[in-house]
Amino acid sequence: MTVHEREITELTPAVAESDGGRWLDLLAPRYLVATAMLCLGVALYAFNGFLVSTVMPTTVAELGGEAVISWSLTLFLTASIIAGTSAAMLKERFGARLVLTAAALVFLAGTLLAATATTMAAVLLGRIGQGLGEGVVAAICYALIPEIFPPRLVPKVFGAEALVWALAAFGGPVLAGYLTETISWRAAFFVNVPIIAIFVLMAVTIVPNRQGREVRSTAFPGLRLALLATALVTVLVAGLSGALPQAAVALVVAVLALAGSLHLDRRAKETVLPAGAFSLGSALGLGLWAVLLMSLAQATSSVYLVFSLQNLWHFPPTAAGGMSALMAICWSLTAIGVANLRSDSRKRSMIWIGPLLLVGGLGLLVASLLSGKIALLVVAQVAIGAAFGVSWGYLSQMLMDTAPAHERDKTSTLLPTLQSAGYALGGALAGLTANAAGLAAAKGAEDLRGPLATAFVLAFLWSLPAALVSWRAVRLLRNPRGNAR
C-alpha cells in the first residue's frame, strides 16, 4: 500500500471535517497540470459527443446511410464500454502513462478516419476507434483522481469536471453548427486533434507509470468481453427494432450473454469487476447499483427530451437544445456548491438526497408531458440536474474510498463505464418502450404524448430503486460492520 493509499484509508472524520480544501488548491503548482489534464479528458468525451450528434445528419446527407445513422452512437458506446471494462487490467499490466497515451492515439486515429471518410462505413469504423480510445481515457482518468488528489479535493475535481460538461452542452452544438455551416462537418471532427495533442503531452509529463509495483501476468478476458459486447449490441438492436417479437428475442439473448459474462468473471482467477460488485449487502455493491440505475433513469431524457420539446411544444431546435442543457448547467452549479461541504454526515446525506431529487424531477417531467405545462418541465430539469450535481461526486468518492486498496483501480475505472452502460441500455429500453406504446405509428402531437409519457414513466421507475439503494448504502456506511468488503 502506498503512502497516499494509507492517507485515504486512515482518514479520520476529524481530519475530513476540519479541512474541506479550497478551489484554489486545484490551481496550485502541485495539482494544476493534473486538474487541466483530467478536465481535458472529460472535454474530449463531452465535446466530441455533442459535436458528432450535431453534425451526423449533415454527414449522412453527404455520404448516404440514413438507415445506419443510429449505429454511430451504438457502436461508439459498445466500444467505449468494452474498452472501459478492461482499463483497470491494462493499467496494472502496462502502467497508466502508456495506456493513456495509447488510448488517446487510438481515439485520434478514429477521429481522423471519420473526418476523412468517403463512405458511412468508414465513419462508423472511426466511431469504433473513438469509442475504444475514449472508454479507456475516461476510465483511467477516474482511476487517477484518488491517486493524484487528496480526499479533501476530490469533490472539487468532480465539480470542475461538471463545469466542463456544462460548457460542452452549450458550446458543443453551437460550435458544431457553426463549423458545419461555414466550413464542413469534417471540421467538427478535427476539433478533437489539438485537444488530444495537449492531453497526450500532459499525460506523458505528469502521469505515473507503474509506481514500482509488481506486475502480474494476467490472461486477457477475451471471452468475457465478447459476451458483454454481444449483450450490449443485442439490447441496443432491441431498442431500434420496430417488431416486438424480434426485440423480445434480442433481449433474451442479451440477458443470457450478460449472465454468461458475469458468471465467467466470478470464476476467473483475475476478475474484471471488483469483489462484491453489485452485492446488496455492502456499500460498494449498492453504490454501483446507484450509478447504474441513475444513468438508466436519465437516459430517456437524452433520447426523447429534445424530441418532445420540438413535437409537443413546437420549440425550435436552438431553444430545445437550450432547455436540454439546463440540466447540465444545474448539475454543474450544484456540484460546485456542495463541493465545499466539510461534514462527513452532510457529504453522506448528499448521496441519497440526489436520487430522491431525481425521483421528484422525473415525476414532474411525466406530469409536464401529460398536462402540457412547460413550467413543470423547467422545474423538472432543474431538479434532475441538482440530483446529479449534489450526489455524483460524493457517490463516486465513496465508492473509491470503500473499495479495498488492491481493487481501487477496478472500482474507479468501472464508474464511467457503468455510466455509459446505463445510458446505452436505458436509451435502448426507452426506445423499445416508446415503440411498444405506439410512437412509430403516431400521426400528430397528441398521438405522440402517450408513448413519450410512457417512456418517461419507465425512467421514473428506474429512479425509485436508485433512491432506495443509495439510502441503504449510506446506512451501511454509518454502520461499518454492515459494510462487508
Side-chain angles (χ1 to χ4, degrees):
M1 182 182 291
T2 67
V3 173
H4 186 62
E5 286 170 342
R6 285 198 296 272
E7 177 188 353
I8 294 175
T9 305
E10 298 170 2
L11 182 67
T12 64
V15 172
E17 296 193 17
S18 64
D19 187 1
R22 301 176 305 162
W23 284 102
L24 286 177
D25 291 343
L26 295 181
L27 303 180
R30 181 179 179 185
Y31 301 119
L32 176 59
V33 178
T35 302
M37 186 197 74
L38 294 178
C39 287
L40 273 179
V42 172
L44 202 61
Y45 180 86
F47 275 96
N48 182 66
F50 288 111
L51 291 170
V52 172
S53 63
T54 303
V55 305
M56 196 52 62
T58 307
T59 304
V60 169
E62 178 180 323
L63 302 181
E66 290 83 353
V68 297
I69 186 172
S70 61
W71 283 93
S72 170
L73 180 60
T74 298
L75 293 174
F76 174 86
L77 286 174
T78 301
S80 175
I81 293 165
I82 297 303
T85 303
S86 60
M89 186 173 294
L90 293 173
K91 178 176 179 286
E92 180 181 6
R93 194 167 185 175
F94 300 107
R97 184 190 305 159
L98 178 60
V99 173
L100 262 186
T101 303
L105 293 177
V106 170
F107 184 93
L108 175 61
T111 296
L112 295 176
L113 178 59
T116 57
T118 56
T119 65
M120 193 60 187
V123 172
L124 295 180
L125 284 175
R127 290 291 282 157
I128 292 174
Q130 285 189 323
L132 291 173
E134 182 53 43
V136 173
V137 167
I140 299 297
C141 283
Y142 258 71
L144 289 175
I145 291 174
E147 286 188 13
I148 296 175
F149 296 91
R152 62 188 173 82
L153 291 181
V154 169
K156 291 176 173 56
V157 175
F158 283 111
E161 292 183 349
L163 182 59
V164 173
W165 268 103
L167 293 173
F170 269 111
V174 173
L175 177 61
Y178 174 78
L179 291 173
T180 301
E181 292 175 7
T182 59
I183 304 176
S184 166
W185 59 267
R186 301 176 188 275
F189 280 98
F190 281 117
V191 167
N192 291 311
V193 174
I195 299 177
I196 297 169
I198 298 171
F199 178 84
V200 169
L201 179 62
M202 290 181 172
V204 171
T205 302
I206 69 163
V207 174
N209 210 17
R210 288 182 182 151
Q211 299 179 318
R213 293 181 296 182
E214 179 184 353
V215 179
R216 293 172 292 181
S217 178
T218 56
F220 188 75
L223 180 57
R224 283 172 277 169
L225 295 180
L227 287 171
L228 179 59
T230 300
L232 290 168
V233 171
T234 49
V235 77
L236 293 171
V237 168
L240 297 173
S241 175
L244 290 182
Q246 288 89 329
V249 171
L251 286 177
V252 171
V253 171
V255 170
L256 292 175
L258 181 60
S261 179
L262 293 176
H263 176 70
L264 290 175
D265 193 63
R266 290 193 188 98
R267 297 184 60 183
K269 183 177 180 181
E270 290 294 332
T271 62
V272 172
L273 298 175
F278 303 107
S279 165
L280 298 179
S282 70
L284 175 64
L286 290 165
L288 290 175
W289 273 114
V291 171
L292 177 61
L293 290 166
M294 290 180 71
S295 302
L296 281 167
Q298 174 56 20
T300 303
S301 292
S302 66
V303 176
Y304 287 121
L305 182 63
V306 171
F307 180 85
S308 299
L309 289 166
Q310 290 180 335
N311 288 277
L312 299 183
W313 284 281
H314 308 294
F315 274 42
T318 303
M323 181 67 75
S324 177
L326 177 61
M327 189 279 284
I329 292 297
C330 292
W331 181 337
S332 300
L333 293 177
T334 51
I336 292 170
V338 301
N340 291 317
L341 294 178
R342 296 189 177 187
S343 165
D344 274 2
S345 62
R346 291 181 180 177
K347 293 177 182 179
R348 287 193 293 262
S349 296
M350 293 299 105
I351 294 174
W352 64 264
I353 288 175
L356 199 60
L357 283 171
L358 184 61
V359 172
L362 289 170
L364 286 173
L365 211 162
V366 172
S368 72
L369 288 169
L370 294 175
S371 67
K373 295 181 178 179
I374 193 65
L376 289 178
L377 192 145
V378 173
V379 177
Q381 283 291 87
V382 172
I384 292 169
F388 283 91
V390 302
S391 63
W392 203 255
Y394 290 120
L395 174 60
S396 299
Q397 185 178 16
M398 180 270 286
L399 290 168
M400 293 173 181
D401 289 351
T402 56
H406 66 282
E407 294 206 316
R408 186 164 291 128
D409 277 352
K410 290 182 183 179
T411 303
S412 299
T413 57
L414 183 59
L415 299 182
T417 304
L418 203 55
Q419 185 180 10
S420 294
Y423 284 143
L425 298 177
L429 294 174
L432 181 61
T433 302
N435 287 329
L439 181 68
K443 301 298 183 182
E446 289 307 311
D447 292 336
L448 287 171
R449 192 178 302 279
L452 289 172
T454 302
F456 279 99
V457 166
L458 176 64
F460 173 77
L461 294 177
W462 287 126
S463 71
L464 294 175
L468 180 61
V469 297
S470 301
W471 173 80
R472 178 61 179 161
V474 172
R475 286 287 302 271
L476 290 179
L477 282 176
R478 290 170 178 166
N479 177 18
R481 287 181 296 179
N483 185 19
R485 293 187 182 180

